[in-house]
Coordinates of all heavy atoms in Angstrom, one line a residue:
L764 N 0.8 -1.2 0.0 CA 0.0 0.0 0.0 C 0.9 1.3 0.0 O 0.6 2.2 -0.7 CB -0.9 0.0 1.2 CG -1.9 1.2 1.3 CD1 -2.8 1.3 0.1 CD2 -2.7 1.1 2.6
F765 N 1.9 1.3 0.8 CA 2.8 2.4 0.9 C 3.4 2.7 -0.5 O 3.3 3.9 -1.0 CB 3.9 2.1 1.9 CG 4.9 3.2 2.1 CD1 4.6 4.3 2.9 CD2 6.1 3.3 1.4 CE1 5.5 5.3 3.1 CE2 7.0 4.4 1.6 CZ 6.7 5.4 2.5
T766 N 3.9 1.7 -1.2 CA 4.5 1.9 -2.5 C 3.4 2.4 -3.5 O 3.7 3.2 -4.3 CB 5.1 0.6 -3.0 OG1 6.1 0.2 -2.0 CG2 5.7 0.8 -4.3
E767 N 2.2 1.9 -3.4 CA 1.1 2.4 -4.3 C 0.8 3.8 -4.1 O 0.6 4.5 -5.1 CB -0.1 1.5 -4.0 CG 0.1 0.0 -4.6 CD -1.2 -0.8 -4.4 OE1 -2.3 -0.2 -4.2 OE2 -1.0 -2.0 -4.3
I768 N 0.8 4.3 -2.9 CA 0.6 5.7 -2.6 C 1.7 6.6 -3.2 O 1.4 7.5 -3.8 CB 0.4 5.9 -1.1 CG1 -0.9 5.2 -0.6 CG2 0.4 7.4 -0.8 CD1 -1.0 5.2 0.9
I769 N 2.9 6.2 -3.0 CA 4.0 6.9 -3.6 C 4.0 7.0 -5.1 O 4.1 8.0 -5.7 CB 5.4 6.3 -3.1 CG1 5.5 6.2 -1.6 CG2 6.6 7.0 -3.7 CD1 5.3 7.5 -0.9
N770 N 3.7 5.8 -5.7 CA 3.6 5.7 -7.1 C 2.4 6.6 -7.7 O 2.5 7.2 -8.7 CB 3.4 4.3 -7.6 CG 4.7 3.5 -7.5 OD1 5.7 4.0 -7.3 ND2 4.5 2.2 -7.4
Y771 N 1.3 6.6 -6.9 CA 0.2 7.4 -7.3 C 0.6 8.9 -7.4 O 0.3 9.6 -8.4 CB -1.0 7.3 -6.3 CG -2.1 8.2 -6.5 CD1 -3.0 8.1 -7.5 CD2 -2.2 9.3 -5.7 CE1 -4.0 9.0 -7.8 CE2 -3.2 10.3 -5.8 CZ -4.2 10.1 -6.9 OH -5.2 11.0 -7.1
F772 N 1.3 9.4 -6.4 CA 1.7 10.8 -6.5 C 2.7 11.1 -7.5 O 2.7 12.1 -8.2 CB 2.2 11.3 -5.1 CG 1.0 11.6 -4.1 CD1 0.7 10.8 -3.1 CD2 0.4 12.8 -4.3 CE1 -0.3 11.0 -2.3 CE2 -0.6 13.1 -3.4 CZ -1.0 12.2 -2.4
Q773 N 3.6 10.1 -7.7 CA 4.7 10.3 -8.8 C 4.1 10.2 -10.2 O 4.5 11.0 -11.1 CB 5.7 9.2 -8.6 CG 6.9 9.5 -9.4 CD 8.2 8.9 -8.7 OE1 8.1 8.0 -7.9 NE2 9.3 9.5 -9.1
N774 N 3.1 9.4 -10.4 CA 2.6 9.2 -11.7 C 1.4 10.1 -12.1 O 1.1 10.3 -13.3 CB 2.2 7.7 -12.0 CG 3.5 6.9 -11.8 OD1 4.6 7.3 -12.2 ND2 3.3 5.7 -11.3
E775 N 0.6 10.5 -11.1 CA -0.7 11.1 -11.3 C -0.7 12.6 -10.9 O -1.7 13.3 -11.2 CB -1.8 10.4 -10.6 CG -2.0 8.9 -10.9 CD -2.3 8.7 -12.4 OE1 -3.0 9.6 -12.9 OE2 -2.0 7.7 -12.9
H776 N 0.3 13.1 -10.3 CA 0.3 14.5 -9.8 C 1.6 15.2 -10.1 O 2.5 15.3 -9.3 CB 0.1 14.5 -8.3 CG -1.4 14.2 -7.9 ND1 -2.3 15.2 -8.0 CD2 -2.0 13.1 -7.6 CE1 -3.5 14.6 -7.6 NE2 -3.3 13.4 -7.3
D777 N 1.6 15.8 -11.3 CA 2.8 16.6 -11.7 C 3.0 17.9 -10.8 O 4.0 18.5 -10.7 CB 2.8 17.1 -13.1 CG 3.0 15.9 -14.1 OD1 3.6 14.9 -13.6 OD2 2.6 16.1 -15.2
D778 N 1.9 18.2 -10.1 CA 1.9 19.4 -9.3 C 2.5 19.2 -7.8 O 2.8 20.1 -7.1 CB 0.5 20.0 -9.1 CG -0.5 19.0 -8.5 OD1 -0.3 17.8 -8.8 OD2 -1.4 19.4 -7.7
V779 N 2.8 17.9 -7.5 CA 3.4 17.6 -6.3 C 4.9 17.4 -6.5 O 5.3 16.5 -7.1 CB 2.8 16.3 -5.6 CG1 3.5 15.9 -4.4 CG2 1.3 16.5 -5.4
D780 N 5.7 18.4 -5.9 CA 7.1 18.4 -6.2 C 7.8 17.4 -5.2 O 8.9 16.8 -5.6 CB 7.7 19.7 -6.0 CG 7.2 20.7 -7.0 OD1 7.0 20.3 -8.1 OD2 7.0 21.9 -6.7
S781 N 7.4 17.2 -4.0 CA 8.0 16.3 -3.1 C 7.1 15.8 -2.0 O 6.0 16.4 -1.8 CB 9.2 17.1 -2.4 OG 8.7 18.1 -1.6
L782 N 7.5 14.8 -1.4 CA 6.7 14.2 -0.3 C 7.6 14.1 0.9 O 8.8 13.9 0.8 CB 6.2 12.8 -0.6 CG 5.2 12.6 -1.7 CD1 4.8 11.1 -1.8 CD2 3.9 13.4 -1.4
R783 N 7.1 14.4 2.1 CA 7.8 14.3 3.4 C 7.1 13.3 4.3 O 5.8 13.3 4.3 CB 8.0 15.6 4.0 CG 8.9 16.5 3.3 CD 9.3 17.7 4.1 NE 10.2 18.5 3.3 CZ 10.9 19.5 3.8 NH1 10.8 19.8 5.0 NH2 11.7 20.1 3.0
I784 N 7.8 12.6 5.1 CA 7.3 11.7 6.1 C 8.2 11.6 7.2 O 9.4 11.8 7.1 CB 7.1 10.3 5.4 CG1 6.3 9.4 6.3 CG2 8.4 9.7 5.0 CD1 5.8 8.1 5.6
D785 N 7.6 11.4 8.4 CA 8.4 11.2 9.6 C 8.0 10.0 10.3 O 6.9 9.5 10.2 CB 8.4 12.4 10.5 CG 7.1 12.6 11.2 OD1 6.8 12.0 12.2 OD2 6.3 13.5 10.7
T786 N 9.0 9.4 11.0 CA 8.7 8.2 11.8 C 9.5 8.2 13.1 O 10.6 8.8 13.1 CB 8.9 6.9 11.0 OG1 8.5 5.8 11.7 CG2 10.4 6.7 10.6
N787 N 9.1 7.5 14.0 CA 9.7 7.4 15.4 C 11.1 6.7 15.2 O 11.3 5.8 14.4 CB 8.8 6.6 16.3 CG 9.4 6.3 17.6 OD1 10.2 5.4 17.8 ND2 8.9 7.0 18.6
E788 N 12.0 7.1 16.1 CA 13.4 6.5 16.0 C 13.4 5.0 16.2 O 14.3 4.4 15.8 CB 14.2 7.2 17.1 CG 13.9 7.0 18.5 CD 14.7 7.7 19.5 OE1 15.9 8.1 19.2 OE2 14.2 8.0 20.6
D789 N 12.4 4.5 16.9 CA 12.4 3.0 17.2 C 11.7 2.2 16.1 O 11.8 1.0 16.1 CB 11.7 2.8 18.5 CG 12.4 3.3 19.7 OD1 13.6 3.4 19.7 OD2 11.6 3.8 20.6
N790 N 11.1 2.9 15.1 CA 10.3 2.2 14.1 C 11.3 1.8 12.9 O 11.2 2.4 11.8 CB 9.2 3.0 13.6 CG 8.1 2.2 12.8 OD1 8.4 1.1 12.4 ND2 6.9 2.8 12.7
K791 N 12.1 0.8 13.1 CA 13.1 0.4 12.2 C 12.4 -0.1 10.9 O 13.0 0.1 9.8 CB 14.0 -0.7 12.8 CG 14.7 -0.2 14.0 CD 15.7 0.9 13.8 CE 16.4 1.2 15.1 NZ 17.0 2.5 15.0
A792 N 11.4 -0.8 11.0 CA 10.7 -1.4 9.8 C 10.2 -0.3 8.9 O 10.3 -0.4 7.7 CB 9.5 -2.3 10.3
M793 N 9.6 0.8 9.5 CA 9.1 1.9 8.7 C 10.3 2.6 8.1 O 10.3 3.0 6.9 CB 8.2 2.8 9.5 CG 7.6 3.9 8.7 SD 6.5 3.2 7.5 CE 5.8 4.7 6.8
Q794 N 11.3 2.8 8.8 CA 12.6 3.5 8.3 C 13.1 2.8 7.1 O 13.4 3.3 6.1 CB 13.7 3.6 9.4 CG 13.3 4.5 10.5 CD 14.2 4.4 11.7 OE1 15.4 4.1 11.5 NE2 13.7 4.6 12.9
H795 N 13.1 1.4 7.2 CA 13.6 0.6 6.0 C 12.7 0.8 4.9 O 13.1 1.0 3.7 CB 13.7 -0.9 6.5 CG 14.0 -1.8 5.4 ND1 15.3 -1.8 4.8 CD2 13.2 -2.6 4.6 CE1 15.2 -2.7 3.8 NE2 14.1 -3.2 3.6
L796 N 11.4 0.8 5.0 CA 10.4 0.8 4.0 C 10.5 2.3 3.3 O 10.5 2.4 2.1 CB 9.0 0.7 4.5 CG 7.8 0.7 3.5 CD1 8.0 -0.4 2.5 CD2 6.5 0.6 4.2
I797 N 10.6 3.3 4.1 CA 10.8 4.6 3.5 C 12.0 4.8 2.7 O 12.0 5.2 1.6 CB 10.8 5.7 4.8 CG1 9.5 5.7 5.5 CG2 11.3 7.0 4.3 CD1 9.5 6.4 6.8
E798 N 13.2 4.3 3.2 CA 14.4 4.3 2.5 C 14.4 3.5 1.2 O 14.9 3.9 0.1 CB 15.6 4.0 3.4 CG 15.8 5.0 4.4 CD 16.9 4.6 5.5 OE1 17.4 3.4 5.4 OE2 17.1 5.4 6.4
K799 N 13.8 2.3 1.3 CA 13.6 1.5 0.1 C 12.8 2.1 -1.0 O 13.0 1.8 -2.1 CB 12.9 0.1 0.6 CG 12.7 -0.9 -0.5 CD 12.0 -2.1 0.1 CE 11.7 -3.1 -1.0 NZ 11.0 -4.3 -0.5
N800 N 12.0 3.0 -0.7 CA 11.2 3.7 -1.6 C 11.7 5.0 -2.1 O 11.0 5.9 -2.7 CB 9.7 3.9 -1.1 CG 8.9 2.6 -1.3 OD1 8.4 2.3 -2.3 ND2 8.9 1.8 -0.2
G801 N 13.0 5.2 -1.8 CA 13.8 6.4 -2.4 C 13.7 7.6 -1.6 O 14.1 8.7 -2.1
F802 N 13.3 7.6 -0.4 CA 13.3 8.8 0.5 C 14.7 8.9 1.1 O 15.5 8.0 1.3 CB 12.3 8.6 1.6 CG 10.9 8.9 1.2 CD1 10.2 7.9 0.5 CD2 10.2 10.0 1.5 CE1 8.9 8.1 0.1 CE2 8.9 10.3 1.1 CZ 8.2 9.3 0.4
T803 N 15.1 10.2 1.4 CA 16.3 10.5 2.0 C 16.0 11.2 3.3 O 15.2 12.1 3.5 CB 17.1 11.5 1.1 OG1 17.3 10.9 -0.2 CG2 18.4 11.9 1.7
R804 N 16.8 10.8 4.3 CA 16.6 11.4 5.6 C 17.2 12.8 5.6 O 18.3 13.1 5.3 CB 17.4 10.5 6.7 CG 17.1 11.0 8.1 CD 17.6 10.0 9.1 NE 18.0 10.7 10.3 CZ 18.6 10.1 11.4 NH1 19.0 8.9 11.2 NH2 18.8 10.8 12.4
V805 N 16.3 13.8 6.0 CA 16.7 15.2 5.8 C 16.6 15.9 7.2 O 17.0 17.1 7.2 CB 15.7 15.9 4.8 CG1 16.0 15.3 3.4 CG2 14.3 15.8 5.2
G806 N 16.2 15.3 8.2 CA 16.2 16.0 9.5 C 15.7 15.2 10.7 O 15.4 14.0 10.5
T807 N 15.6 15.8 11.8 CA 15.2 15.2 13.1 C 14.3 16.0 13.8 O 14.6 17.3 13.9 CB 16.5 14.8 13.9 OG1 17.4 14.0 13.2 CG2 16.1 14.0 15.2
L808 N 13.3 15.5 14.3 CA 12.3 16.2 15.2 C 12.4 15.6 16.6 O 12.7 14.5 16.8 CB 10.8 16.0 14.7 CG 10.6 16.5 13.3 CD1 9.2 16.0 12.9 CD2 10.7 18.0 13.2
H809 N 12.2 16.5 17.6 CA 12.3 16.1 19.0 C 10.9 16.2 19.7 O 10.2 17.2 19.5 CB 13.3 16.9 19.7 CG 14.7 16.9 19.1 ND1 15.5 15.8 19.3 CD2 15.3 17.7 18.2 CE1 16.6 16.0 18.6 NE2 16.5 17.1 17.9
G810 N 10.5 15.1 20.4 CA 9.3 15.2 21.2 C 8.0 15.1 20.4 O 7.0 15.6 21.0
V811 N 7.9 14.7 19.2 CA 6.8 14.6 18.5 C 5.8 13.5 18.9 O 4.6 13.7 19.2 CB 7.1 14.4 16.9 CG1 5.8 14.1 16.1 CG2 7.8 15.6 16.4
Y812 N 6.4 12.3 19.1 CA 5.5 11.2 19.5 C 5.5 11.0 21.0 O 4.5 10.7 21.7 CB 6.0 9.8 18.8 CG 5.8 9.9 17.3 CD1 6.8 10.1 16.5 CD2 4.5 9.7 16.8 CE1 6.6 10.2 15.1 CE2 4.3 9.8 15.4 CZ 5.4 10.0 14.6 OH 5.1 10.1 13.2
R813 N 6.7 11.2 21.6 CA 6.8 11.1 23.1 C 7.9 12.2 23.5 O 8.8 12.5 22.7 CB 7.3 9.7 23.5 CG 6.1 8.7 23.5 CD 6.7 7.4 23.9 NE 6.8 6.8 22.5 CZ 7.1 5.5 22.3 NH1 7.4 4.7 23.3 NH2 7.3 5.0 21.0
K814 N 7.8 12.7 24.7 CA 8.5 13.8 25.1 C 10.0 13.7 24.9 O 10.6 14.6 24.4 CB 8.2 14.0 26.6 CG 9.0 15.2 27.2 CD 8.6 15.4 28.7 CE 9.5 16.5 29.3 NZ 9.3 16.5 30.8
D815 N 10.6 12.6 25.2 CA 12.1 12.5 25.2 C 12.6 11.6 24.1 O 13.7 11.0 24.2 CB 12.6 11.9 26.5 CG 12.4 12.9 27.7 OD1 12.5 14.1 27.4 OD2 12.1 12.4 28.8
E816 N 11.9 11.6 22.9 CA 12.5 10.8 21.9 C 12.5 11.6 20.5 O 11.9 12.6 20.4 CB 11.7 9.5 21.7 CG 10.3 9.6 21.1 CD 9.7 8.3 21.1 OE1 10.2 7.3 21.6 OE2 8.6 8.3 20.5
E817 N 13.3 11.0 19.6 CA 13.5 11.7 18.3 C 12.6 11.0 17.3 O 12.3 9.8 17.3 CB 14.9 11.6 17.9 CG 15.8 12.4 18.7 CD 17.3 12.4 18.2 OE1 17.6 11.5 17.4 OE2 18.0 13.3 18.6
S818 N 12.3 11.8 16.2 CA 11.6 11.2 15.0 C 12.5 11.7 13.8 O 13.1 12.7 13.9 CB 10.2 11.8 14.8 OG 9.4 11.5 15.9
Y819 N 12.6 10.8 12.9 CA 13.4 11.1 11.7 C 12.5 11.6 10.5 O 11.4 11.0 10.3 CB 14.2 9.9 11.3 CG 15.1 9.4 12.4 CD1 15.2 8.0 12.6 CD2 15.8 10.2 13.1 CE1 15.9 7.5 13.6 CE2 16.6 9.7 14.2 CZ 16.6 8.4 14.4 OH 17.5 7.8 15.4
V820 N 12.9 12.6 9.9 CA 12.2 13.2 8.8 C 12.8 12.8 7.5 O 14.1 12.9 7.3 CB 12.1 14.8 8.9 CG1 11.4 15.3 7.7 CG2 11.6 15.2 10.2
Y821 N 12.0 12.3 6.5 CA 12.5 11.9 5.2 C 11.8 12.7 4.1 O 10.6 13.1 4.3 CB 12.2 10.4 5.0 CG 13.0 9.5 5.9 CD1 12.4 9.2 7.2 CD2 14.1 8.9 5.5 CE1 13.1 8.4 8.0 CE2 14.7 8.0 6.4 CZ 14.3 7.8 7.7 OH 14.9 6.9 8.5
A822 N 12.4 12.9 3.0 CA 11.8 13.6 1.9 C 12.2 12.9 0.5 O 13.2 12.2 0.5 CB 12.3 15.0 1.8
K823 N 11.3 13.0 -0.4 CA 11.6 12.4 -1.8 C 11.1 13.4 -2.8 O 10.0 13.9 -2.8 CB 10.8 11.1 -1.9 CG 11.0 10.5 -3.3 CD 10.3 9.2 -3.4 CE 10.6 8.6 -4.8 NZ 10.2 7.2 -4.9
L824 N 12.0 13.8 -3.8 CA 11.6 14.6 -4.9 C 10.7 13.7 -5.8 O 11.2 12.6 -6.2 CB 12.8 15.1 -5.6 CG 13.6 16.1 -4.9 CD1 14.8 16.5 -5.7 CD2 12.8 17.4 -4.5
M825 N 9.6 14.1 -6.2 CA 8.7 13.3 -7.1 C 9.1 13.3 -8.5 O 8.9 12.4 -9.2 CB 7.2 13.8 -6.9 CG 6.6 13.6 -5.5 SD 6.2 11.9 -5.2 CE 7.7 11.1 -4.7
H826 N 9.6 14.5 -9.0 CA 10.0 14.6 -10.4 C 11.3 15.3 -10.5 O 11.4 16.4 -10.8 CB 8.9 15.5 -11.1 CG 7.5 15.0 -10.9 ND1 7.0 13.9 -11.5 CD2 6.6 15.5 -10.0 CE1 5.8 13.7 -11.0 NE2 5.5 14.6 -10.2
P827 N 12.4 14.5 -10.1 CA 13.7 15.1 -10.1 C 14.2 15.8 -11.5 O 14.8 16.8 -11.4 CB 14.7 14.0 -9.7 CG 13.9 12.8 -9.7 CD 12.4 13.1 -9.8
D828 N 13.8 15.2 -12.5 CA 14.1 15.8 -13.8 C 13.5 17.1 -14.1 O 14.0 18.0 -14.6 CB 13.7 14.9 -15.0 CG 14.5 13.5 -14.9 OD1 15.6 13.6 -14.4 OD2 14.0 12.5 -15.4
K829 N 12.3 17.3 -13.5 CA 11.5 18.5 -13.7 C 12.2 19.6 -12.8 O 12.2 20.8 -13.2 CB 10.1 18.3 -13.2 CG 9.2 19.5 -13.2 CD 7.8 19.1 -12.7 CE 7.0 20.3 -12.3 NZ 5.7 20.0 -11.8
Q830 N 12.8 19.2 -11.7 CA 13.5 20.2 -10.8 C 14.7 20.8 -11.5 O 15.0 22.0 -11.2 CB 13.9 19.5 -9.5 CG 12.9 18.8 -8.7 CD 12.0 19.8 -8.0 OE1 12.5 20.9 -7.5 NE2 10.7 19.6 -7.9
K831 N 15.4 20.2 -12.3 CA 16.6 20.7 -13.0 C 16.3 21.7 -14.1 O 17.2 22.4 -14.5 CB 17.4 19.5 -13.6 CG 17.9 18.5 -12.5 CD 18.6 17.4 -13.1 CE 19.1 16.4 -12.1 NZ 19.7 15.2 -12.7
Q832 N 15.1 21.8 -14.5 CA 14.8 22.7 -15.7 C 14.8 24.1 -15.2 O 14.6 24.5 -14.2 CB 13.4 22.3 -16.3 CG 13.5 20.9 -16.9 CD 12.1 20.5 -17.5 OE1 11.1 21.2 -17.4 NE2 12.1 19.3 -18.1

């Protein structure tokens, strides 16, 4: 389902330049899925899910060739 959603935005929405997603530092399975689908870790958030923990922020350019023009 995750991959289908990413593909939907990439193939059906030229107006969406990028997607961002965040996940808890302990959610290794989600981190793997995110990275497997071409996202790059771009930042860290503090205290989003629980007071003393980090979340990782990922982003993916949907149309990298379009960005270069």
Side-chain angles (χ1 to χ4, degrees):
L764 179 62
F765 182 83
T766 303
E767 289 179 24
I768 292 169
I769 304 306
N770 289 340
Y771 170 76
F772 280 101
Q773 192 150 20
N774 297 327
E775 303 295 330
H776 284 278
D777 287 342
D778 58 327
V779 175
D780 295 327
S781 66
L782 293 178
R783 289 193 179 188
I784 189 168
D785 66 81
T786 188
N787 178 282
E788 65 185 331
D789 296 328
N790 195 343
K791 303 296 183 196
M793 187 62 175
Q794 292 169 32
H795 175 74
L796 183 62
I797 291 167
E798 291 172 358
K799 181 179 173 182
N800 280 276
F802 284 75
T803 302
R804 188 169 152 188
V805 296
T807 304
L808 299 171
H809 302 277
V811 173
Y812 294 100
R813 284 174 263 188
K814 182 180 173 186
D815 293 324
E816 72 182 7
E817 294 183 339
S818 299
Y819 302 136
V820 181
Y821 295 84
K823 178 176 180 169
L824 294 177
M825 294 284 86
H826 311 283
D828 295 334
K829 181 178 161 184
Q830 300 287 325
K831 295 178 184 178
Q832 295 177 358

